[in-house]
């Protein structure tokens, strides 16, 4: 089924080598950006987290926490 294919794709993509992500690149395949391991170096901007509500996990309501990280080049990326 489609769900099993999606799970298989996510698992296989997560087992690939880390990618170098160039955010300034104009043409990026979104499919290539699904689930790859990445490495990001920078500093978390504590106190500026964003709580994304309305999330459910195993039947319990909660939220996702998005934390801004300032990369070495100055860009801010939500993690």
């Amino acid at each position: 089924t489609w769900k099993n294919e999606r799970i298989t794709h996510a698992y296989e993509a997560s087992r690939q080598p880390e990618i170098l992500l160039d955010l300034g690149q104009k043409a990026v395949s979104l499919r290539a950006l699904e689930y790859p391991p990445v490495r990001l170096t920078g500093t978390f901007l504590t106190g500026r987290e964003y709580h994304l509500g309305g999330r459910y996990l195993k039947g319990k309501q909660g939220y996702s926490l998005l934390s801004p990280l300032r990369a070495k080049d100055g860009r801010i990326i939500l993690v």
Side-chain angles (χ1 to χ4, degrees):
T1 66
W2 70 269
K3 187 68 170 181
N4 288 336
E5 291 172 7
R6 184 97 174 133
I7 292 169
T8 300
H9 170 70
Y11 175 77
E12 290 172 354
S14 71
R15 311 266 308 153
Q16 298 300 313
E18 293 174 356
I19 64 167
L20 175 61
L21 183 58
D22 179 3
L23 297 176
Q25 188 177 354
K26 292 190 188 266
V28 177
S29 164
L30 293 180
R31 185 75 169 170
L33 296 178
E34 289 182 329
Y35 310 107
V38 296
R39 181 174 299 181
L40 184 61
T41 304
T43 304
F44 282 106
L45 303 177
T46 57
R48 301 192 63 193
E49 294 87 1
Y50 179 76
H51 297 82
L52 183 62
R55 302 308 217 200
Y56 288 88
L57 179 63
K58 297 181 181 177
K60 295 186 179 184
Q61 184 176 358
Y63 58 90
S64 294
L65 180 65
L66 301 176
S67 299
L69 183 135
R70 184 182 315 275
K72 287 184 175 183
D73 65 3
R75 289 180 290 179
I76 297 175
I77 300 164
L78 289 177
V79 179

